[in-house]
Amino acid sequence: MSCSMNGPALYELPSAPASWRIALPHTVAAVPVARALVRTALAELEHGADCDTAELLTAELVANAVEHTPGEAPIELVVELMPSGCQVEVHDTDPAPPGDLTRPAGGPPDPWQEHGRGLLLIRALSSSCGHRPTESGKAVWFRLSAVPAQRRRSA
């Protein structure tokens, strides 16, 4: 019989990721719904990722998908929570890659310009981001790292 002593857990989350997958309508009404879903997912598990940033970036991804994807097909929000952080993906039916998500276009963007700031925000505020092809189009994603519980409590 072997007995092992485990030290205190570094994270309050289980090691297996928790995952949500939700279809959203192809309208701007999907944006506040997606924000609320992400906030609820992070709050329910007292997750360490920054709720406000996750909400903001999710809203940008969903708004982008609604605005730049033709057709009426629903978009899909996928939220994965892991001990190291969270990943949010938005799936749409357009295979074309999203503008300047992974590399800047020629020259700095105009901060007063209405379009293009969302992807810049995602690049600036996420720990990583990107896009990948899917069977029905593409998925655009970002990751946020979890903040250790000790730092959250003292903040």
Side-chain angles (χ1 to χ4, degrees):
M1 180 175 135
S2 68
C3 185
S4 63
M5 294 287 289
N6 288 330
L10 291 175
Y11 297 100
E12 295 145 21
L13 286 183
S15 55
S19 187
W20 285 262
R21 195 177 198 99
I22 298 112
L24 295 170
H26 195 280
T27 70
V28 291
V31 176
V33 175
R35 288 183 78 130
L37 286 166
V38 166
R39 175 165 286 281
T40 303
L42 293 175
E44 252 184 30
L45 289 177
E46 295 183 351
H47 194 272
D50 180 341
C51 251
D52 294 334
T53 303
E55 247 191 276
L56 173 68
L57 300 188
T58 300
E60 291 295 343
L61 281 190
V62 171
N64 235 28
V66 169
E67 187 179 345
H68 298 295
T69 309
E72 307 267 314
I75 55 178
E76 196 171 32
L77 176 69
V78 180
V79 182
E80 268 196 85
L81 303 183
M82 299 148 296
S84 57
C86 71
Q87 177 167 308
V88 176
E89 286 187 342
V90 173
H91 295 232
D92 64 50
T93 54
D94 184 359
D100 305 336
L101 185 65
T102 49
R103 64 183 180 284
D110 175 357
W112 300 108
Q113 184 131 7
E114 185 60 34
H115 297 288
R117 285 181 307 184
L119 296 178
L120 190 68
L121 262 179
I122 292 165
R123 282 216 327 265
L125 297 178
S126 65
S127 55
S128 59
C129 60
H131 58 87
R132 61 184 173 80
T134 63
E135 282 178 22
S136 57
K138 71 172 171 302
V140 186
W141 57 269
F142 69 84
R143 285 189 193 118
L144 291 177
S145 298
V147 178
Q150 314 80 278
R151 291 219 332 253
R152 290 203 309 273
R153 288 194 188 103
S154 63

